[in-house]
Amino acid sequence: MAALTYPWFHNNQPLEAAQIPVVSLEEFTNAVRNAAAAGMRIASFFAAASGPHLVCLYAVIADENIGRLSVLSAAAQDSYPSLTPDCPQVHLFEREIAEQWGILPQGHPWLKPVRFHPCCRSGKEIWKQQNILPSVMNFYRLEGEQIHEVAVGPVHAGIIEPGHFRFQCLGEQVFHLEISLGYQHRGIERRLIGGPTPRTYALIQTAAGDTTIGHTTAYCQLLESTADIQAPPRAQAIRGIALELERLANHTGDLGALANDVGYLPTASFCGRIRGDFLNLTALLCGNRFGRNLVCPGGVQFDLTAEKADQMRRRLHELKKDLTVAVELLWNTPSVLARFEETGKIDEQTCRQLGLVGVAARACGLETDVRFRFPAGVYQFAQVPVSTWHTGDVFARAYVRWLEIQRSLAFLLELLDNCPGGPIRADWDGPAANRFCVSLTEGWRGEICHAAATDAQGRLAFYKITDPSFHNWTGLAMALRGQQISDFPLCNKSFNLSYCGHDL
């Protein structure tokens, strides 16, 4: 049972702003520590302005055992005792708060900038420098004979986003990897304040371009909750179809890319084509392969006609057959398994300590999935089984993807056969005043968390986005320890994290 004494609420359940417990800083830090010690996750931890001269800390705590969330707040001073030594899963959140608001987590063991942008509070900069260029900082270094350093990026050989990776190696063996991002920072959260406006919608859809449906669904559910409305059942079903198509396209692409990284071209070439076919099914639904402009506050903008449903059902059956042949080749090829198994391992304890989410966590045996633990929308009425594996290596992250593909296909076909009728959009006049809400969605990478509050005029007073990549980048660094440096591309692809979703 929950160790916290603060109110618990459901995913997407709105609260009056006055219902958020405001406690002393000491009580706040003790509560977060106790929650982590009791096995709960910190879904989000951030600071936000609460008046012209006051900044408050907020912690969103998720108890997966009871499927409930809790939130608490404390007025921030210029510093507080760092939680990271006792609760490593908040280490990056604390660095983010220090960078954004100049609030020092005293005793943080790894205090460095996250996105290399100026502090919001003039004169409170932790690093006494207004404009720090990305990755221009001291990196962790090992000293010793034959120790050498390898720097990779920010410009990479492939068509990927910019990011810097600094390896400390002895020969081919990696002792430590430090990852420095921030090149893609666009200031999305600051630009959302004062919304929603038409620009708000565009910013949310591109927070992570390959997760348009995931982030837009979280955003729309949040706004609907603050306005005390729900999308009609048919709209919720169409959102679920789009979300699973997004998962299918990306998981299929990842399996093909993993095959390509170990030089196994049959699966790589098949999956590249099939990924495109899944994207085309999303285009069939709404005219855009990434699902842009499909999900909107109040429901969806495009209906699923009977003709489209028939076409989608037929093509899904064909894709299921093709994909099964392509992916089964991976598990029946010893040279592929030799490269996947025991590569880039993370144990369950490390996974829990870091608060990993999504495929990376389920590949360590954790039964964590928003669709199951905190169901919303169509997932309240139709269950997708949680897919896990126990080895925590590249094989596990690949195999969990394959299990999820099969279950998403089954879920989609059932939903197409039983899609409820009725309208696809409810009237929506904007959020109510002085509300707070947390919206969780299981995107294809993992848990997407949006938290926001409205002011007395019903405008967004603050908006916090936590992409699953924000939780998981440290997991990639840990997976590289003790590996050959030549395994980096394979390990990196097995996580396939978002740079722009992290940088926002």
Side-chain angles (χ1 to χ4, degrees), residues 195-457:
T197 66
R199 188 176 69 172
T200 309
Y201 186 56
L203 290 170
I204 291 290
Q205 289 200 103
T206 54
D210 54 14
T211 316
T212 294
I213 298 296
H215 276 289
T216 311
T217 299
Y219 166 75
C220 292
Q221 288 180 161
L222 186 147
L223 290 190
E224 291 157 7
S225 297
T226 59
D228 293 322
I229 68 165
Q230 280 196 338
R234 185 169 181 81
Q236 293 182 15
I238 294 173
R239 286 179 180 180
I241 289 170
L243 191 65
E244 296 310 317
L245 285 174
E246 190 171 77
R247 193 181 324 279
L248 285 167
N250 284 290
H251 279 3
T252 301
D254 285 346
L255 289 176
L258 284 167
N260 188 63
D261 276 355
V262 299
Y264 191 68
L265 299 185
T267 300
S269 58
F270 275 114
C271 286
R273 189 265 295 172
I274 296 169
R275 171 182 175 271
D277 289 338
F278 283 127
L279 292 175
N280 289 339
L281 286 180
T282 302
L284 176 69
L285 189 58
C286 66
N288 184 283
R289 300 176 90 210
F290 295 101
R292 302 278 164 84
N293 300 318
L294 171 61
V295 181
C296 65
V300 294
Q301 302 199 72
F302 300 89
D303 201 357
L304 178 67
T305 64
E307 182 183 0
K308 286 182 180 178
D310 288 341
Q311 190 175 348
M312 193 175 288
R313 195 180 293 107
R314 178 178 56 77
R315 290 169 68 176
L316 282 173
H317 280 294
E318 294 171 356
L319 291 173
K320 180 181 178 182
K321 182 179 175 182
D322 290 352
L323 192 54
T324 301
V325 172
V327 175
E328 289 294 342
L329 288 173
L330 286 178
W331 321 133
N332 295 323
T333 305
S335 63
V336 171
L337 296 181
R339 293 287 287 115
F340 282 11
E341 291 175 339
E342 302 293 324
T343 302
K345 288 191 71 168
I346 296 180
D347 60 60
E348 183 180 335
Q349 182 182 6
T350 302
C351 176
R352 290 186 185 278
Q353 288 177 335
L354 294 177
L356 302 188
V357 297
V359 170
R362 292 190 284 275
C364 296
L366 271 61
E367 291 188 1
T368 176
D369 189 319
V370 172
R371 296 172 294 176
F372 175 68
R373 299 291 186 181
F374 306 94
V378 72
Y379 301 102
Q380 297 172 94
F381 314 107
Q383 186 63 59
V384 181
V386 181
S387 303
T388 63
W389 197 251
H390 60 281
T391 52
D393 51 10
V394 169
F395 172 82
R397 291 185 283 277
Y399 196 65
V400 166
R401 283 184 170 88
W402 174 230
L403 294 175
E404 293 190 356
I405 284 173
Q406 295 173 79
R407 288 167 174 174
S408 288
L409 280 167
F411 176 79
L412 268 180
L413 290 168
E414 183 178 342
L415 200 53
L416 288 169
D417 288 340
N418 300 285
C419 191
I424 60 169
R425 195 169 179 179
D427 293 334
W428 179 74
D429 297 323
N434 296 317
R435 290 290 182 90
F436 173 84
C437 186
V438 176
S439 179
L440 302 181
T441 297
E442 187 68 24
W444 64 273
R445 282 193 179 91
E447 177 187 284
I448 295 168
C449 177
H450 288 209
T454 59
D455 61 17
Q457 287 73 46

Side-chain angles (χ1 to χ4, degrees), residues 35-53:
M40 303 175 203
R41 278 197 325 98
I42 312 303
S44 193
F45 179 33
F46 57 95
S50 181
H53 306 292

Side-chain angles (χ1 to χ4, degrees), residues 138-150 166-171 173 175-176:
N138 292 324
F139 285 84
Y140 181 81
R141 292 193 67 176
L142 292 173
E143 300 290 345
E145 191 175 353
Q146 299 183 25
I147 295 289
H148 65 278
E149 184 177 79
V150 178
R166 191 74 65 96
F167 299 86
Q168 305 292 317
C169 303
L170 174 62
Q173 186 180 5
F175 275 81
H176 179 76

